[in-house]
Amino acid sequence: MTKYLIIALMFIISCSGNNSEKNTNETREDSNLKKRESIHQQEWEKYGKQNTTGESDKKSFKIKVNNVINITGENLGEFNTPKFTSDGKNIVFTNSNFSELWLFNLEKNNLTKLVSFPKCGYKFQISEDGKDIYFRTRETKRKKAGGDYSIYKIKIENNKLEKIYSSGNYLSTPVLIDKYLYLLKENKPICIDISKKKETKIFPQPYFFVQNNKLMRKYNSVQTIYGEEKFIDCDYSNDKKYIFALTSNNGIIIFDLEGKIINQFKEAVSITKLANSSLVLFTQEQDQGQRIISSKLFMGFLNTSKISKVSFEKSELVFNPDWSSTDNKIVYTNNNGMVKVLSFNIE
């Protein structure tokens, strides 16, 4: 009897050890999975994923601002459109007249001017891996009226500059999707293969643009997507899955890549979506003639009406907000053109 009891106990202990090891591995996998998700993504799972009905939209959530730090001083001038790189380590931004590109390294607390070219900072593009910046500029060396237009790539690691494409005709600012650049050349949509540095006839992804106040799309052919609004401009979401189209007097309409309307923020003037999430960040402005007297920051969700105001202790205007995909941080510029980083929690 004792012999069988000992064998039974050994079997139970063995099974327990295997289960314990299995549970440890599962816990480690769950932990690794959470590490791969941004904090925002976890917040979205908690507060936003289930909030897709009208009833849940009535439930409020609160954004608690922890601190705000300045990363540019007033003596450097005014800056515009700051953006986080995908790894959250760097912030890229331009000056007030879009003629420079600057880089702030959050880990080293180091500010560097990368390059100076006419209009190089207007709608610059950061690669998905966060290592390269693409921009359009106008060459001024030649005597030809208006000069030639070129698209460059600059590597963040070593400031290496490389010309990707050049034309004697007008080029719009490019949109970077995977390994291709999409833009207008003399008002006609073109696609540039970055590796080959030349145009390709096939558009791997649909290209959205605004022309004659209409939202257009080029894929297999050029077509008008929505003609009931007067559009001013459009931008892609950071993950290139949605289109944010700014109207003249009806805020921002969000479209998917099929051209279907997802949502509309009727008072928004700028908007950005967190990658791999439904969280959006947008601003609402009030102007008095030529002067903006109010610019407030709001957080919400891609396909619901659930929003919450981000309140500051110190009242200031907020422009050009952008998310960090790795930390609970938002970068923006204020009314003095200073670049600031806000840390927050969602409650």
Side-chain angles (χ1 to χ4, degrees):
M1 178 69 73
T2 304
K3 178 180 179 181
Y4 291 116
L5 179 61
I6 292 173
I7 293 173
L9 286 172
M10 290 178 65
F11 177 76
I12 292 171
I13 291 171
S14 175
C15 290
S16 176
N18 290 337
N19 287 336
S20 176
E21 183 179 355
K22 180 181 179 182
N23 291 336
T24 301
N25 290 335
E26 288 178 350
T27 301
R28 189 181 295 115
E29 289 176 0
D30 290 342
S31 177
N32 290 336
L33 178 61
K34 288 183 178 180
K35 286 181 181 178
R36 288 196 296 270
E37 293 179 344
S38 68
I39 295 176
H40 304 308
Q41 179 70 7
Q42 296 174 36
E43 301 281 8
W44 173 71
E45 293 288 341
K46 183 177 179 181
Y47 294 100
K49 189 173 183 179
Q50 69 275 21
N51 296 329
T52 55
T53 65
E55 182 65 28
S56 60
D57 283 350
K58 297 176 183 178
K59 299 178 182 178
S60 62
F61 64 102
K62 181 181 179 182
I63 296 92
K64 179 184 178 182
V65 176
N66 296 326
N67 59 57
V68 179
I69 61 171
N70 302 338
I71 65 173
T72 61
E74 294 182 359
N75 59 323
L76 288 177
E78 298 183 5
F79 296 95
N80 209 329
T81 56
K83 295 182 182 297
F84 279 98
T85 54
S86 57
D87 55 14
K89 296 179 180 179
N90 296 297
I91 299 173
V92 183
F93 50 92
T94 184
N95 60 343
S96 58
N97 64 359
F98 306 100
S99 63
E100 299 170 350
L101 282 173
W102 290 70
L103 179 79
F104 183 82
N105 185 295
L106 290 161
E107 293 181 334
K108 299 178 181 179
N109 196 33
N110 183 40
L111 180 63
T112 306
K113 182 164 71 171
L114 296 175
V115 71
S116 297
F117 277 110
K119 300 300 179 183
C120 65
Y122 184 63
K123 289 196 171 186
F124 61 87
Q125 302 282 294
I126 304 175
S127 62
E128 187 176 350
D129 59 11
K131 295 181 178 180
D132 303 314
I133 304 170
Y134 292 81
F135 63 88
R136 179 211 63 178
T137 186
R138 188 182 71 249
E139 308 283 6
T140 58
K141 294 180 181 179
R142 298 182 61 180
K143 295 182 180 180
K144 181 180 177 180
D148 289 345
Y149 288 82
S150 298
I151 297 172
Y152 284 89
K153 177 182 78 172
I154 184 169
K155 295 193 74 67
I156 290 178
E157 183 181 14
N158 55 17
N159 284 18
K160 182 181 178 181
L161 196 63
E162 180 183 0
K163 184 179 286 189
I164 302 298
Y165 186 82
S166 185
S167 174
N169 297 317
Y170 170 80
L171 299 178
S172 69
T173 53
V175 174
L176 174 65
I177 307 177
D178 295 329
K179 302 298 181 182
Y180 296 89
L181 293 169
Y182 302 81
L183 63 151
L184 297 177
K185 178 180 178 180
E186 284 296 291
N187 296 321
K188 293 182 180 180
I190 64 170
C191 178
I192 299 171
D193 185 326
I194 294 174
S195 60
K196 297 179 180 179
K197 297 184 179 180
K198 64 179 183 180
E199 295 180 36
T200 175
K201 294 182 180 180
I202 299 174
F203 279 57
Q205 297 288 336
Y207 170 48
F208 286 76
F209 57 96
V210 170
Q211 194 171 65
N212 299 323
N213 296 125
K214 295 181 179 180
L215 182 63
M216 311 291 291
R217 185 181 76 160
K218 164 63 177 175
Y219 198 20
N220 296 322
S221 61
V222 177
Q223 60 182 136
T224 300
I225 295 300
Y226 195 71
E228 298 179 21
E229 293 282 355
K230 184 178 180 180
F231 290 97
I232 299 173
D233 199 2
C234 73
D235 282 306
Y236 283 71
S237 59
N238 290 339
D239 54 17
K240 303 301 190 292
K241 294 179 180 179
Y242 298 93
I243 307 299
F244 302 135
L246 177 64
T247 66
S248 61
N249 56 13
N250 223 351
I252 291 174
I253 302 176
I254 302 175
F255 296 85
D256 65 14
L257 297 184
E258 298 295 324
K260 298 177 182 178
I261 295 178
I262 302 299
N263 203 350
Q264 182 173 7
F265 293 89
K266 293 188 175 182
E267 296 182 3
V269 295
S270 69
I271 190 168
T272 180
K273 187 183 83 68
L274 178 66
N276 303 317
S277 170
S278 283
L279 280 169
V280 296
L281 195 68
F282 63 93
T283 57
Q284 294 180 358
E285 294 179 1
Q286 290 182 345
D287 62 83
Q288 193 176 62
Q290 299 295 320
R291 187 170 67 94
I292 297 174
I293 59 174
S294 173
S295 182
K296 299 177 182 179
L297 185 63
F298 292 84
M299 190 180 293
F301 296 93
L302 184 72
N303 52 5
T304 77
S305 58
K306 183 182 179 68
I307 65 172
S308 182
K309 182 182 176 183
V310 181
S311 299
F312 297 80
E313 291 184 3
K314 181 181 178 182
S315 178
E316 66 178 353
L317 304 186
V318 179
F319 303 102
N320 314 303
D322 189 50
W323 300 94
S324 165
S325 60
T326 58
D327 301 294
N328 277 7
K329 293 180 179 179
I330 295 167
V331 65
Y332 67 95
T333 55
N334 69 355
N335 43 297
N336 294 320
M338 296 178 65
V339 181
K340 298 191 173 188
V341 176
L342 175 153
S343 300
F344 69 95
N345 287 326
I346 300 178
E347 298 178 343

